[in-house]
Amino acid sequence: MFIQNRRTALALVLLAIGLIAVGGLIGGWLDGRLGDLQAAHIRAPINIFVDGSLQQTTIDERLRKATIVVQGTVGESLPGRWNTSTGSLPANVTVQTMPSDTLIFTDTPIKVERVLKGSVASDTVLVRTLGGAVDQDRMEVEYAPELHPGKQVVLLLVPDDDSRTMNIGPEHYIVAFGFEGSYDVVGDQAVSRTHQLPLADLQKLIRDNTR
Protein backbone atom coordinates (compact mmCIF):
# COMPACT_ATOMS: atom_id res chain seq x y z
CA MET A 1 0.00 0.00 0.00
CA PHE A 2 2.86 2.36 0.86
CA ILE A 3 4.58 1.65 -2.46
CA GLN A 4 1.32 2.18 -4.35
CA ASN A 5 0.77 5.52 -2.56
CA ARG A 6 4.30 6.58 -3.42
CA ARG A 7 3.74 5.65 -7.04
CA THR A 8 0.51 7.62 -7.06
CA ALA A 9 2.18 10.62 -5.49
CA LEU A 10 5.05 10.42 -7.99
CA ALA A 11 2.59 10.26 -10.87
CA LEU A 12 0.78 13.31 -9.55
CA VAL A 13 4.06 15.19 -9.21
CA LEU A 14 5.06 14.29 -12.79
CA LEU A 15 1.61 15.31 -14.02
CA ALA A 16 1.92 18.66 -12.23
CA ILE A 17 5.36 19.23 -13.73
CA GLY A 18 3.98 18.40 -17.18
CA LEU A 19 1.09 20.82 -16.75
CA ILE A 20 3.45 23.55 -15.63
CA ALA A 21 5.66 22.93 -18.68
CA VAL A 22 2.69 23.00 -21.06
CA GLY A 23 1.37 26.13 -19.38
CA GLY A 24 4.76 27.73 -19.82
CA LEU A 25 4.80 26.86 -23.51
CA ILE A 26 1.27 28.23 -24.02
CA GLY A 27 2.10 31.36 -22.06
CA GLY A 28 5.25 31.86 -24.10
CA TRP A 29 3.30 31.43 -27.35
CA LEU A 30 0.65 33.92 -26.19
CA ASP A 31 3.34 36.38 -25.15
CA GLY A 32 4.94 35.95 -28.57
CA ARG A 33 1.64 36.53 -30.37
CA LEU A 34 0.94 39.60 -28.24
CA GLY A 35 4.38 40.86 -29.11
CA ASP A 36 3.69 40.28 -32.81
CA LEU A 37 0.41 42.20 -32.57
CA GLN A 38 2.05 45.03 -30.70
CA ALA A 39 4.85 45.10 -33.25
CA ALA A 40 2.25 45.37 -36.01
CA HIS A 41 0.56 48.24 -34.13
CA ILE A 42 -2.92 47.00 -34.90
CA ARG A 43 -5.26 49.94 -34.37
CA ALA A 44 -8.91 50.86 -34.48
CA PRO A 45 -10.41 51.95 -37.83
CA ILE A 46 -10.31 55.66 -38.63
CA ASN A 47 -13.60 57.20 -39.78
CA ILE A 48 -13.72 60.84 -40.86
CA PHE A 49 -16.71 62.92 -41.94
CA VAL A 50 -16.09 66.33 -43.50
CA ASP A 51 -19.03 68.68 -43.80
CA GLY A 52 -19.16 72.19 -45.15
CA SER A 53 -20.85 74.42 -47.68
CA LEU A 54 -19.87 75.43 -51.19
CA GLN A 55 -19.36 78.98 -52.36
CA GLN A 56 -22.52 80.34 -53.96
CA THR A 57 -22.01 80.60 -57.73
CA THR A 58 -24.11 80.78 -60.87
CA ILE A 59 -23.96 78.14 -63.57
CA ASP A 60 -22.36 80.70 -65.90
CA GLU A 61 -19.60 81.36 -63.33
CA ARG A 62 -18.96 77.65 -62.96
CA LEU A 63 -18.79 77.12 -66.72
CA ARG A 64 -16.32 79.99 -67.14
CA LYS A 65 -14.15 78.57 -64.35
CA ALA A 66 -13.99 75.07 -65.85
CA THR A 67 -10.88 74.36 -67.92
CA ILE A 68 -12.54 71.48 -69.70
CA VAL A 69 -16.08 70.13 -69.77
CA VAL A 70 -16.60 66.52 -70.81
CA GLN A 71 -19.54 64.22 -71.31
CA GLY A 72 -18.82 60.56 -70.79
CA THR A 73 -19.26 57.36 -68.80
CA VAL A 74 -17.95 56.75 -65.29
CA GLY A 75 -15.61 53.79 -64.95
CA GLU A 76 -14.67 51.70 -61.92
CA SER A 77 -12.92 53.79 -59.28
CA LEU A 78 -9.35 52.92 -58.36
CA PRO A 79 -8.68 51.87 -54.76
CA GLY A 80 -8.70 54.82 -52.38
CA ARG A 81 -5.44 55.96 -50.81
CA TRP A 82 -4.17 58.28 -48.13
CA ASN A 83 -2.20 61.31 -49.33
CA THR A 84 1.02 59.94 -47.85
CA SER A 85 4.13 58.77 -49.65
CA THR A 86 3.01 55.14 -49.34
CA GLY A 87 -0.73 55.68 -49.79
CA SER A 88 -1.40 54.26 -46.33
CA LEU A 89 -1.06 55.37 -42.72
CA PRO A 90 1.57 54.23 -40.25
CA ALA A 91 -0.04 51.55 -38.10
CA ASN A 92 0.36 53.50 -34.85
CA VAL A 93 -1.46 56.62 -36.10
CA THR A 94 -4.83 57.64 -34.66
CA VAL A 95 -7.29 60.41 -35.50
CA GLN A 96 -5.82 62.40 -32.63
CA THR A 97 -2.19 62.04 -33.74
CA MET A 98 -2.31 62.18 -37.54
CA PRO A 99 -1.48 65.50 -39.26
CA SER A 100 -4.48 67.74 -39.94
CA ASP A 101 -3.86 67.76 -43.71
CA THR A 102 -4.02 63.97 -44.00
CA LEU A 103 -6.91 62.69 -46.10
CA ILE A 104 -8.19 59.91 -48.34
CA PHE A 105 -8.79 60.48 -52.04
CA THR A 106 -10.17 58.34 -54.85
CA ASP A 107 -9.36 58.44 -58.57
CA THR A 108 -12.05 57.53 -61.11
CA PRO A 109 -11.58 57.17 -64.88
CA ILE A 110 -14.12 58.84 -67.16
CA LYS A 111 -14.50 57.50 -70.70
CA VAL A 112 -14.88 60.70 -72.72
CA GLU A 113 -17.53 60.67 -75.42
CA ARG A 114 -17.81 64.39 -76.06
CA VAL A 115 -15.53 67.30 -75.21
CA LEU A 116 -17.82 70.27 -74.67
CA LYS A 117 -15.10 72.74 -73.69
CA GLY A 118 -11.33 72.71 -73.96
CA SER A 119 -9.37 69.66 -75.10
CA VAL A 120 -8.08 66.39 -73.68
CA ALA A 121 -5.06 64.32 -74.63
CA SER A 122 -6.85 60.95 -74.64
CA ASP A 123 -10.33 59.46 -74.59
CA THR A 124 -10.07 58.84 -70.83
CA VAL A 125 -9.54 61.41 -68.08
CA LEU A 126 -8.85 60.66 -64.43
CA VAL A 127 -10.98 62.55 -61.94
CA ARG A 128 -9.89 62.82 -58.31
CA THR A 129 -12.42 63.24 -55.50
CA LEU A 130 -11.85 63.62 -51.77
CA GLY A 131 -13.01 60.74 -49.61
CA GLY A 132 -13.13 56.98 -50.03
CA ALA A 133 -11.86 53.89 -48.26
CA VAL A 134 -8.42 52.47 -47.52
CA ASP A 135 -8.64 49.03 -45.91
CA GLN A 136 -10.50 49.58 -42.63
CA ASP A 137 -10.39 53.39 -42.82
CA ARG A 138 -13.17 55.57 -44.26
CA MET A 139 -13.54 59.23 -45.16
CA GLU A 140 -16.74 60.90 -46.37
CA VAL A 141 -16.82 64.45 -47.73
CA GLU A 142 -20.28 66.03 -47.85
CA TYR A 143 -19.61 68.38 -50.78
CA ALA A 144 -17.69 65.91 -52.97
CA PRO A 145 -19.33 64.79 -56.23
CA GLU A 146 -20.54 61.19 -56.43
CA LEU A 147 -19.30 59.23 -59.44
CA HIS A 148 -21.09 55.92 -59.91
CA PRO A 149 -19.73 53.33 -62.37
CA GLY A 150 -21.71 53.13 -65.59
CA LYS A 151 -23.36 56.52 -65.15
CA GLN A 152 -23.44 59.04 -67.98
CA VAL A 153 -22.18 62.38 -66.70
CA VAL A 154 -21.25 65.91 -67.68
CA LEU A 155 -18.32 67.15 -65.59
CA LEU A 156 -16.85 70.63 -65.21
CA LEU A 157 -13.15 69.98 -64.61
CA VAL A 158 -10.08 71.95 -63.57
CA PRO A 159 -6.49 70.90 -62.81
CA ASP A 160 -6.03 69.88 -59.19
CA ASP A 161 -4.97 72.95 -57.17
CA ASP A 162 -5.27 71.35 -53.72
CA SER A 163 -1.77 71.33 -52.19
CA ARG A 164 -2.65 68.15 -50.30
CA THR A 165 -3.18 66.08 -53.46
CA MET A 166 -2.05 68.03 -56.54
CA ASN A 167 1.48 66.60 -56.63
CA ILE A 168 0.46 62.97 -56.22
CA GLY A 169 0.37 61.20 -59.60
CA PRO A 170 -0.97 60.19 -61.98
CA GLU A 171 -2.13 63.21 -63.98
CA HIS A 172 -5.70 64.05 -63.03
CA TYR A 173 -8.44 66.67 -62.76
CA ILE A 174 -10.87 67.62 -60.04
CA VAL A 175 -14.51 68.65 -60.40
CA ALA A 176 -14.92 72.41 -60.18
CA PHE A 177 -17.14 73.55 -57.28
CA GLY A 178 -17.65 70.05 -55.85
CA PHE A 179 -21.00 68.46 -56.58
CA GLU A 180 -22.14 71.70 -58.29
CA GLY A 181 -19.85 70.84 -61.20
CA SER A 182 -21.21 67.33 -61.71
CA TYR A 183 -24.34 66.38 -63.69
CA ASP A 184 -25.85 62.95 -64.23
CA VAL A 185 -27.36 62.51 -67.68
CA VAL A 186 -30.85 61.06 -67.19
CA GLY A 187 -32.69 60.75 -70.48
CA ASP A 188 -32.57 64.22 -72.01
CA GLN A 189 -31.97 65.93 -68.65
CA ALA A 190 -28.77 67.03 -66.90
CA VAL A 191 -29.33 66.46 -63.17
CA SER A 192 -27.14 67.77 -60.35
CA ARG A 193 -27.68 67.43 -56.64
CA THR A 194 -29.37 70.83 -56.45
CA HIS A 195 -31.00 71.42 -59.84
CA GLN A 196 -31.64 70.04 -63.30
CA LEU A 197 -32.09 71.36 -66.81
CA PRO A 198 -32.45 69.92 -70.31
CA LEU A 199 -29.13 68.50 -71.52
CA ALA A 200 -29.45 70.54 -74.72
CA ASP A 201 -29.76 73.73 -72.66
CA LEU A 202 -26.64 72.86 -70.65
CA GLN A 203 -24.72 72.18 -73.85
CA LYS A 204 -25.82 75.54 -75.24
CA LEU A 205 -24.77 77.31 -72.04
CA ILE A 206 -21.36 75.68 -72.35
CA ARG A 207 -21.00 76.87 -75.95
CA ASP A 208 -22.10 80.39 -74.99
CA ASN A 209 -19.50 80.55 -72.23
CA THR A 210 -16.60 79.40 -74.40
CA ARG A 211 -16.89 82.09 -77.06
Side-chain angles (χ1 to χ4, degrees):
M1 178 66 71
F2 176 71
I3 293 175
Q4 183 177 359
N5 288 341
R6 289 195 61 186
R7 288 175 178 171
T8 300
L10 180 60
L12 291 173
V13 170
L14 292 175
L15 177 61
I17 292 173
L19 290 173
I20 292 171
V22 170
L25 290 173
I26 293 174
W29 180 83
L30 289 175
D31 288 342
R33 289 297 297 154
L34 181 59
D36 290 342
L37 293 175
Q38 290 173 338
H41 298 297
I42 291 177
R43 58 169 171 76
I46 291 176
N47 293 289
I48 301 171
F49 177 76
V50 180
D51 60 3
S53 58
L54 295 171
Q55 176 185 353
Q56 292 293 318
T57 56
T58 66
I59 188 169
D60 289 323
E61 289 172 330
R62 294 193 291 273
L63 290 171
R64 285 195 294 269
K65 171 73 174 179
T67 304
I68 62 173
V69 180
V70 298
Q71 181 176 335
T73 302
V74 181
E76 292 287 341
S77 295
L78 303 180
R81 59 168 290 171
W82 288 98
N83 64 330
T84 62
S85 59
T86 63
S88 58
L89 285 181
N92 59 347
V93 168
T94 66
V95 173
Q96 290 74 27
T97 62
M98 71 181 189
S100 60
D101 61 350
T102 306
L103 54 81
I104 293 174
F105 66 82
T106 302
D107 288 341
T108 303
I110 307 297
K111 177 70 172 177
V112 177
E113 291 152 11
R114 295 186 65 184
V115 179
L116 303 173
K117 178 182 178 181
S119 62
V120 295
S122 72
D123 62 357
T124 300
V125 295
L126 202 62
V127 176
R128 179 163 296 175
T129 54
L130 299 184
V134 181
D135 298 326
Q136 62 184 347
D137 302 326
R138 301 287 185 275
M139 179 176 176
E140 181 181 351
V141 180
E142 184 180 30
Y143 51 82
E146 297 179 359
L147 301 175
H148 300 289
K151 278 280 191 181
Q152 276 269 328
V153 293
V154 173
L155 299 176
L156 284 57
L157 302 175
V158 293
D160 189 355
D161 59 357
D162 187 331
S163 61
R164 301 170 298 177
T165 57
M166 60 187 294
N167 295 318
I168 301 174
E171 183 179 356
H172 61 277
Y173 293 89
I174 60 173
V175 179
F177 302 100
F179 62 75
E180 293 279 18
S182 174
Y183 293 86
D184 288 346
V185 177
V186 182
D188 63 354
Q189 298 290 304
V191 182
S192 80
R193 197 184 300 182
T194 58
H195 66 281
Q196 73 178 66
L197 71 165
L199 179 60
D201 288 357
L202 177 60
Q203 293 169 341
K204 182 178 184 302
L205 282 170
I206 295 167
R207 290 193 299 269
D208 291 345
N209 278 280
T210 55
R211 291 173 182 169

